[in-house]
């Protein structure tokens, strides 16, 4: 077996080790590379920036712990921005396995910004049904969530004063790891109840949501950890996403180098087989 | 002598008086004011219409006044060169006035309450500088409507598509419909043969969806075909499931396939088994099965999410031949790189139609193809018409383009 | 019995399908009220579906334990995990001084249920998802080869997008950011739209077949 053939059939664990090192080292020794902000992330940021104080912002954290590394930084950045703008924040989730995580994210962000539960924000929790839940919220928010996650009656909360349905919400952002998520909020929510909708998602499903962005069905899209890092840059509060970008940069470059290497070895084998008259692989 | 002189003086003086009369003409109140219940809505809305005026300009403003007497208040104000009928989102078949007339929609919401069945007086005033003239108010009653005529194009297209699909199904029942050979199906036979030669089991996954998803239905149909070949060769078949209902359906399909292959005694009830509905728990379990049982062939049919690469990469590490078929476009790159063959998107539906040869499946496929051809033609025509409309500054192409718009 | 298993569900499907398809075109508040009522029913049914899933799981593993099938010890562990988590969710928290009631934290104090969630479930799920990063690298190394012109084009696009999505890549290849934006917003969006159209037509066709009773696979069982 030639060197090129041996390299093409290298043990996967060596590749895993390379990726592991490329992820770990930048986290231990951050570099802090500059992050360029994309128009799609700016779309979400600028809309929140344009909302007057006291506007209602609903953040639906539609992800479970598996997607926490990508979507939690997005949630934290959005909540920090919303609290800084003194918006009335409503948190909720369409994924039952993400309820605890979502509650933690909202509580921690609120505590950091000195906001009071019931007065400045509320976490509604989770309720069964996706489309049916959104439709019920569009008809009567209090029927969908008679009490919040802490069992406080929602009708008595100061933060929800004057809000009857989704039509009274100024901006909804869904942070989605898959189905149910942004598309559900558009089909069952924005299409019927006409609120403005933005989105955040994991990097792998982001390309599939560009048609919604191009057609104006969502006014912005925060894609993956990169999107979260861009948002953190926009609000001037760098967090885990920016910290993670160094690791992501190193990993991407490592994968590119591996792909280039594998193609070099492949071409070498093809060339040598061609010269020796053997069939090419 | 004096009389003709007096007439001459009056004639000379007339131009002095004319401008004042002309000034009153320039600030005539909005003409042809009409207020109607907003059509095709759920109520609590009024539409105000009035004619375009010669003085429409950015520096002139219109004001919409609601109520009468002491309760009269201004609810909107905007430049006079805006808010035309043609700017509204209504399609041409629901417009209630000429495109160059003014239109303003009043809708119950923040700061404005309109109750169904209650008459409201609406007036329109025009303001230029310090001058203000108001038209006489008109009364109208908001009411909810039973039909949303704005969406009739949508209904028409759905009915048309439905007719095409049902027509194709009828045609498929009467005569043979040609379906080109799906290349991936050769790979299916090859994979089953290889597993039999090696004496190893075949692993078949039906994806993350439930029975209401087209991809899961297609996966179940292909399972029937695979099970029939597996039964003939008496190879082991493993079908772990994420959904109990899908499991029940696939169990019946597998049993039926073994019966049709003439090998009911070889059928095992536990070939289809339920693991869990949780995404990664299921993935971990299936990965374990792959590493322990080392199946020779892995089939990944249906819809998948993040677990796709975890499953296929583990399968690749065991040296199995892997065939995937999915409509989950976000996972396609992972399937394509790790599987030996991938049925992309509708190839999965086509494969199930090809295998089952059921007229319903074949007819549906043909109907969908007609639908896609129609959309292609509309896209090309629409692009051309929209370009013509922009180049020649005409709204005529909108007659066709509005038919394909999503209007509420 | 056949009527209850076949004809009645088909009738319900037909009536409900036609009514709610028509509902989309009826803006009257009565139609919205009807939709609200039905969505409440759907919410209740969705809640029961959860119960169904758990019951199925219990039943299947109970059979495995009873018959002492291979791997039955893992079924015991599964039982222990499910019952332990449920017990933790319904337990009394002495530190917080109240019943847990399924809450992860009470007044900032982490409950036993919260510990299971944040110190077991979250890391386990995160670990499984993190494996993807390693698998992507090994899959890319094994498969991303320029075997043909199209494969080479795909490879170049993939490299540009990978560079354009990270700050280091944009620093090394400044144009990659803008080209990536163009690829995502133009090429990618166009292709996704095409796929979406195809899938949507398939979904509409399937829905029509289900409403009119031509497609009965969802009822379970094989051919009649």
């Amino acid at each position: 077996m030639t060197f090129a053939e041996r390299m093409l059939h290298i043990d996967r664990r060596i590749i895993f080790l390379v990726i592991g090192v490329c992820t770990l080292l930048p986290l231990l020794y951050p570099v802090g590379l500059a992050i360029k902000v994309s128009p799609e992330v700016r779309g979400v940021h600028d809309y929140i920036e344009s909302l007057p104080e006291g506007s209602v912002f609903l953040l639906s954290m539609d992800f479970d712990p598996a997607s926490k590394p990508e979507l939690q930084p997005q949630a934290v950045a959005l909540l920090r921005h919303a609290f800084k703008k003194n918006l009335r924040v409503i948190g909720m989730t369409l994924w039952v396995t993400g309820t605890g995580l979502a509650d933690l994210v909202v509580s921690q962000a609120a505590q950091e910004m000195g906001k009071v539960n019931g007065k400045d924000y509320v976490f509604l929790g989770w309720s069964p049904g996706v489309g049916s839940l959104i439709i019920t919220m569009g008809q009567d928010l209090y029927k969908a969530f008679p009490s919040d996650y802490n069992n406080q009656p929602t009708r008595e909360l100061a933060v929800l004063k004057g809000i009857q349905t989704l039509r009274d919400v100024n901006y909804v952002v869904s942070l989605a790891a898959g189905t149910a998520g942004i598309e559900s909020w558009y089909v069952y929510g924005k299409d019927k109840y006409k609120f403005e909708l933005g989105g955040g998602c994991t990097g792998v499903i982001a390309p599939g949501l560009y048609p919604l962005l191009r057609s104006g069905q969502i006014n912005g899209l925060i894609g993956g950890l990169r999107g979260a890092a861009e948002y953190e840059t926009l609000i001037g509060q760098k967090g885990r996403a920016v910290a993670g970008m160094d690791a992501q940069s190193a990993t991407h470059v490592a994968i590119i180098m591996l792909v280039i290497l594998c193609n070099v070895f492949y071409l070498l084998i093809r060339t040598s087989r061609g010269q020796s008259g053997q069939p090419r692989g | 002598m004096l009389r003709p002189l007096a007439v001459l003086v009056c004639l000379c003086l007339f131009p002095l008086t004319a401008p004042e009369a002309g000034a009153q003409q320039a600030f005539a109140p909005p003409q042809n004011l009409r207020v109607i219940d907003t059509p095709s809505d759920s109520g609590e809305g009024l539409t105000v219409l009035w004619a375009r005026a010669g003085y429409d300009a950015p520096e002139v403003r219109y004001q919409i006044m609601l109520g009468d007497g002491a309760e009269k208040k201004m609810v909107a104000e905007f430049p006079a060169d805006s808010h035309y009928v043609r700017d509204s989102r209504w399609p041409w078949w629901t417009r209630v006035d000429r495109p160059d007339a003014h239109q303003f929609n009043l809708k119950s919401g923040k700061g404005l309450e309109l109750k169904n069945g209650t008459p409201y007086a609406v007036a329109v005033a025009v303001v230029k500088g310090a001058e203000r003239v108001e038209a006489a108010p008109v009364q109208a009653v908001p009411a909810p409507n039973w039909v949303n005529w704005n969406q009739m194009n949508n209904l028409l297209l759905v009915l048309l598509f439905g007719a095409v699909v049902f027509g194709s199904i009828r045609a498929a029942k009467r005569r043979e419909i040609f379906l080109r050979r799906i290349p991936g199906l050769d790979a299916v036979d090859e994979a089953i043969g290889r597993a039999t030669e090696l004496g190893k089991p075949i692993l078949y996954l039906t994806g993350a969806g439930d029975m209401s998803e087209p991809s899961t239905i297609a996966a179940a149909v292909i399972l029937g075909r695979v099970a029939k070949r597996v039964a003939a060769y008496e190879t082991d078949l493993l079908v772990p499931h994420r959904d109990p209902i899908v499991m029940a359906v696939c169990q019946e399909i597998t049993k039926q396939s073994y019966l049709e292959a003439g090998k009911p005694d070889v059928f095992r009830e536990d070939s289809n088994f339920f693991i869990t509905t949780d995404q990664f728990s299921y993935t971990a379990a299936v990965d374990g099965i792959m590493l322990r049982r080392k199946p020779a062939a892995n089939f990944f049919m249906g819809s998948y999410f993040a677990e796709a690469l975890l499953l296929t990469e583990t399968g690749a590490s065991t040296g199995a031949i892997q065939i995937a078929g999915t409509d989950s476009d976000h996972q396609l790159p992972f399937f394509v790189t790790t599987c030996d063959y991938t049925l992309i998107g509708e190839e999965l539906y086509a494969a199930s139609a090809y295998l089952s040869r059921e007229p319903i499946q074949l007819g549906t496929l043909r109907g969908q193809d007609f639908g896609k051809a129609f959309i292609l033609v509309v896209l090309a025509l629409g692009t051309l018409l929209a370009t013509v409309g922009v180049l020649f500054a005409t709204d005529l192409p909108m007659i066709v383009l509005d038919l394909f718009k999503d209007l509420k | 019995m056949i009527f209850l298993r076949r004809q009645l569900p088909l009738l319900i499907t037909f009536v409900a399908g036609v009514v709610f398809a028509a509902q989309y075109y009826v803006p009257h508040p009565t139609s919205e009220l009807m939709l609200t009522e039905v969505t409440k029913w759907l919410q209740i049914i969705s809640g029961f579906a959860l119960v169904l899933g758990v019951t199925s799981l219990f039943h299947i593993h109970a059979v495995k334990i009873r018959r002492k099938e291979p791997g039955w010890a893992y079924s015991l562990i599964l039982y222990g995990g499910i019952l332990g988590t449920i017990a933790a969710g319904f337990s009394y928290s002495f530190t917080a001084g109240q019943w847990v009631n399924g809450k992860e934290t009470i007044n900032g104090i982490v409950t036993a249920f919260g510990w299971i969630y944040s110190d077991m479930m979250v890391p386990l799920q995160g670990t499984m998802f993190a494996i993807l990063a390693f698998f992507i690298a090994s899959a890319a190394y094994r498969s991303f080869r320029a075997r043909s012109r199209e494969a080479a084009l795909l490879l170049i696009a993939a490299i540009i997008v990978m560079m354009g999505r990270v700050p280091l890549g944009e620093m090394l290849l400044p144009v990659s950011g803008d080209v990536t934006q163009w690829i995502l917003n133009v090429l990618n969006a166009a292709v996704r739209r095409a796929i979406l159209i195809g899938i949507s037509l398939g979904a509409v066709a399937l829905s029509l077949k289900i409403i009119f009773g031509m497609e009965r696979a969802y009822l379970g069982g094989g051919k009649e």
Side-chain angles (χ1 to χ4, degrees):
Chain A
M1 216 186 230
T2 62
F3 173 73
E5 280 168 351
R6 273 206 309 274
M7 290 310 293
L8 273 185
H9 292 96
I10 201 171
D11 193 328
R12 295 189 314 162
R13 287 171 290 189
I14 295 174
I15 298 170
F16 295 163
L17 189 64
V18 167
I19 298 297
V21 166
C22 287
T23 311
L24 196 58
L25 283 179
L27 287 172
L28 293 172
Y29 305 106
V31 173
L33 296 160
I35 294 166
K36 198 169 134 189
V37 179
S38 61
E40 40 267 34
V41 173
R42 201 175 278 282
V44 177
H45 173 269
D46 289 352
Y47 195 83
I48 292 180
E49 196 61 30
S50 71
L51 291 173
E53 203 172 291
S55 300
V56 184
F57 171 60
L58 191 149
L59 182 66
S60 184
M61 286 162 279
D62 308 322
F63 58 92
D64 60 3
S67 308
K68 178 186 168 193
E70 281 186 284
L71 295 176
Q72 185 171 318
Q74 292 182 13
V76 170
L78 281 163
L79 286 166
R80 281 176 177 165
H81 191 195
F83 286 135
K84 211 193 301 187
K85 292 281 301 171
N86 293 323
L87 305 181
R88 290 189 278 163
V89 173
I90 303 173
M92 62 169 285
T93 177
L94 296 175
W95 288 39
V96 64
T97 44
T99 316
L101 186 60
D103 178 44
L104 200 65
V105 167
V106 174
S107 315
Q108 282 179 345
Q111 197 174 32
E112 185 192 307
M113 304 296 286
K115 296 297 176 183
V116 175
N117 190 354
K119 185 171 157 277
D120 304 305
Y121 77 95
V122 61
F123 181 66
L124 298 173
W126 171 86
S127 192
V130 172
S132 48
L133 175 66
I134 297 172
I135 289 171
T136 309
M137 289 174 74
Q139 308 288 329
D140 187 334
L141 194 69
Y142 305 105
K143 272 194 186 148
F145 289 101
S147 59
D148 72 353
Y149 192 61
N150 297 313
N151 289 324
Q152 296 178 82
T154 39
R155 273 195 201 276
E156 295 167 15
L157 296 176
V159 65
L160 295 177
K161 194 175 172 192
I163 303 167
Q164 191 61 33
T165 70
L166 282 176
R167 288 183 205 270
D168 302 318
V169 172
N170 298 101
Y171 194 36
V172 173
V173 171
S174 164
L175 301 182
T179 321
I182 297 167
E183 282 132 324
S184 309
W185 275 103
Y186 178 77
V187 168
Y188 300 109
K190 180 177 174 174
D191 198 45
K192 291 178 84 66
Y193 306 109
K194 316 280 182 258
F195 47 81
E196 192 57 77
L197 179 66
C201 62
T202 52
V204 73
I205 66 171
L209 293 167
Y210 272 82
L212 272 80
L213 183 66
R214 304 305 316 157
S215 61
Q217 286 160 318
I218 52 174
N219 74 343
L221 183 66
I222 308 171
L225 194 66
R226 165 69 191 242
E230 290 176 29
Y231 208 93
E232 286 177 359
T233 308
L234 281 170
I235 62 170
Q237 264 183 288
K238 294 188 181 175
R240 283 201 188 161
V242 170
M245 286 317 294
D246 288 344
Q248 192 168 332
S249 293
T251 316
H252 274 219
V253 170
I255 293 174
I256 290 167
M257 296 309 301
L258 284 168
V259 166
I260 291 171
L261 269 175
C262 108
N263 276 281
V264 163
F265 295 134
Y266 174 68
L267 283 169
L268 280 171
I269 291 169
R270 269 184 74 155
T271 316
S272 67
R273 279 189 185 162
Q275 283 172 352
S276 63
Q278 284 178 14
R280 296 176 186 210
Chain B
M1 183 70 183
L2 283 175
R3 190 179 278 187
L5 191 62
V7 168
L8 189 62
V9 166
C10 286
L11 282 171
C12 292
L13 284 173
F14 179 76
L16 292 174
T17 58
E20 199 183 321
Q24 281 173 349
Q25 288 292 328
F27 289 101
Q31 301 294 302
N32 302 331
L33 176 65
R34 286 191 300 141
V35 183
I36 58 172
D37 164 48
T38 304
S40 304
D41 73 341
S42 57
E44 299 181 350
L46 292 172
T47 296
V48 189
L49 301 148
W50 66 101
R52 184 186 166 173
Y55 50 70
D56 282 352
E59 62 273 11
V60 178
R61 301 184 74 73
Y62 282 120
Q63 292 175 341
I64 309 292
M65 311 300 293
L66 181 70
D68 45 24
E71 289 175 359
K72 190 193 274 192
K73 62 174 180 176
M74 184 181 73
V75 293
E77 188 177 20
F78 46 86
D81 64 342
S82 65
H83 288 80
Y84 293 104
V85 168
R86 62 168 175 267
D87 299 330
S88 74
R89 295 198 64 213
W90 296 2
W92 52 264
W93 61 87
T94 58
R95 282 185 184 162
V96 287
D97 209 326
R98 293 152 48 109
D100 62 351
H102 287 285
Q103 175 178 327
F104 188 85
N105 295 326
L106 288 165
K107 184 81 187 163
S108 226
K110 291 192 181 74
L112 177 66
E113 197 190 3
L114 294 172
K115 286 189 187 146
N116 290 332
T118 305
Y120 292 92
V122 182
V124 179
V126 57
V127 178
K128 184 176 181 181
E131 304 263 359
R132 187 179 183 278
V133 180
E134 189 173 312
V138 176
Q139 286 232 343
V141 181
N145 306 109
W146 285 100
V147 180
N148 186 349
W149 295 103
N150 292 335
Q151 287 180 311
M152 285 302 111
N153 58 332
N154 182 304
L155 179 63
L156 196 69
L157 289 169
V158 166
L159 291 174
L160 189 65
F161 180 64
V164 166
V165 168
F166 292 139
S168 302
I169 290 170
R170 267 185 81 179
K173 282 179 178 165
R174 280 202 306 266
R175 62 169 193 273
E176 182 84 17
I177 283 193
F178 169 73
L179 203 60
R180 67 168 172 84
R181 177 90 184 147
I182 311 295
L185 294 177
D186 292 331
V188 169
D189 290 340
E190 186 197 323
I192 297 170
R194 185 167 177 255
T196 310
E197 279 170 19
L198 292 170
K200 288 182 176 178
I202 288 168
L203 184 72
Y204 192 101
L205 304 182
T206 52
D210 55 27
M211 278 320 290
S212 64
E213 288 190 34
S215 55
T216 312
I217 293 171
V221 170
I222 298 173
L223 171 63
R225 157 68 181 247
V226 168
K228 210 168 173 180
R229 297 300 288 259
V230 163
Y233 296 139
E234 296 188 20
T235 316
D236 269 345
L237 180 65
L238 302 167
V239 192
H241 289 280
R242 261 182 86 168
D243 186 286
I245 295 170
V246 174
M247 184 194 78
V249 172
C250 289
Q251 211 155 35
E252 287 292 325
I253 289 173
T254 313
K255 196 172 178 178
Q256 184 70 21
S257 298
Y258 273 71
L259 207 65
E260 285 171 15
K263 299 278 177 84
D265 46 315
V266 183
F267 170 70
R268 282 180 25 238
E269 283 279 344
D270 59 358
S271 57
N272 281 267
F273 53 100
F274 173 73
I275 297 182
T276 179
T277 51
D278 185 68
Q279 183 182 23
F280 288 117
S281 312
Y282 173 81
T283 307
V286 174
D287 281 352
I289 291 169
M290 284 185 199
L291 292 169
R292 286 191 302 272
R293 299 290 303 269
K294 291 206 171 17
N298 297 330
F299 292 88
F300 304 99
M301 302 287 172
S303 63
Y304 292 85
F305 297 96
E307 72 275 15
L309 185 64
L310 292 173
L311 293 166
T312 56
E313 187 64 7
T314 307
S317 72
T318 64
I321 182 170
Q322 303 201 116
I323 296 162
T326 183
D327 61 356
S328 306
D329 55 302
H330 37 86
Q331 300 305 319
L332 277 171
F334 305 122
F335 280 121
V336 167
T337 46
T338 50
C339 294
D340 296 283
Y341 202 85
T342 309
L343 299 171
I344 297 172
E346 288 155 289
E347 279 189 326
L348 178 65
Y349 308 147
S352 78
Y354 188 90
L355 290 170
S356 66
R357 283 286 165 191
E358 274 182 19
I360 291 174
Q361 298 233 17
L362 288 168
T364 309
L365 208 62
R366 177 58 70 95
Q368 281 173 236
D369 280 350
F370 280 130
K372 272 177 273 181
F374 177 71
I375 288 173
L376 274 169
V377 168
V378 164
L379 279 171
L381 188 69
T383 309
L384 187 67
L385 285 173
T387 310
V388 162
V390 166
L391 284 175
F392 296 101
T394 169
D395 283 339
L396 279 174
M398 297 310 291
I399 294 171
V400 174
L401 293 174
D402 271 358
L403 290 171
F404 301 100
K405 266 193 196 168
D406 180 30
L407 300 151
K408 297 282 180 280
Chain C
M1 203 57 197
I2 295 286
F3 175 77
L4 284 176
R5 281 191 59 194
R6 284 276 180 243
Q7 265 79 23
L8 185 62
L10 286 172
L11 187 65
I12 292 171
T13 307
F14 175 73
V15 170
V18 169
V19 166
F20 287 97
Q23 188 277 333
Y24 185 72
Y25 304 100
V26 177
H28 200 279
T30 313
S31 125
E32 293 287 322
L33 267 167
M34 185 181 67
L35 186 66
T36 316
E37 269 310 302
V38 171
T39 53
K40 271 191 250 169
W41 300 352
L42 282 171
Q43 272 189 284
I44 295 165
I45 292 167
S46 307
F48 273 107
L50 278 174
V51 174
L52 192 71
V54 174
T55 315
S56 285
L57 204 59
F58 267 123
H59 172 70
I60 283 157
H61 287 278
V63 167
K64 257 189 140 174
I65 294 168
R66 202 170 54 239
R67 291 184 190 167
K68 298 257 192 314
E69 287 176 11
W72 69 274
Y74 294 110
S75 297
L76 263 180
I77 293 170
L78 177 91
Y79 257 87
I82 293 178
L83 294 171
T85 310
I86 292 172
F90 282 119
S91 63
Y92 185 82
S93 170
F94 290 99
T95 24
Q98 62 184 81
W99 293 96
V100 170
N101 257 341
K103 297 277 180 293
E104 285 86 13
T105 54
I106 297 173
N107 301 326
I109 300 165
V110 178
T111 61
F113 186 77
W115 182 85
I116 292 173
Y117 181 81
S118 53
D119 293 312
M120 290 180 77
M121 189 174 159
V122 171
L124 282 170
Q125 284 208 353
T127 304
M128 289 297 291
F129 207 74
I131 295 172
L132 281 173
F134 300 94
F135 277 17
I136 282 170
S138 69
Y141 185 77
R142 207 183 56 247
S143 320
F144 270 18
R145 293 178 198 178
R147 288 195 179 93
S148 62
R149 266 196 289 263
E150 291 84 10
L153 198 62
L154 183 65
L155 196 59
I156 293 166
I159 288 174
I160 291 173
V161 173
M162 274 196 281
M163 296 283 268
R165 290 296 292 169
V166 291
L168 181 60
E170 283 181 303
M171 200 177 83
L172 294 171
L173 190 65
V175 75
S176 63
D178 292 332
V179 176
T180 299
Q181 283 297 313
W182 184 82
I183 290 173
L184 286 173
N185 280 297
V186 178
L187 293 180
N188 164 70
V191 168
R192 297 287 177 161
R193 271 194 201 112
I195 293 171
L196 209 60
I197 287 170
I199 291 170
S200 302
L201 285 175
V204 171
L206 178 69
S207 304
L208 287 169
K209 285 192 301 180
I210 288 174
I211 289 171
F212 287 99
M214 289 182 182
E215 181 58 64
R216 300 174 192 188
Y218 66 94
L219 289 175
K223 296 180 191 174
E224 285 143 35

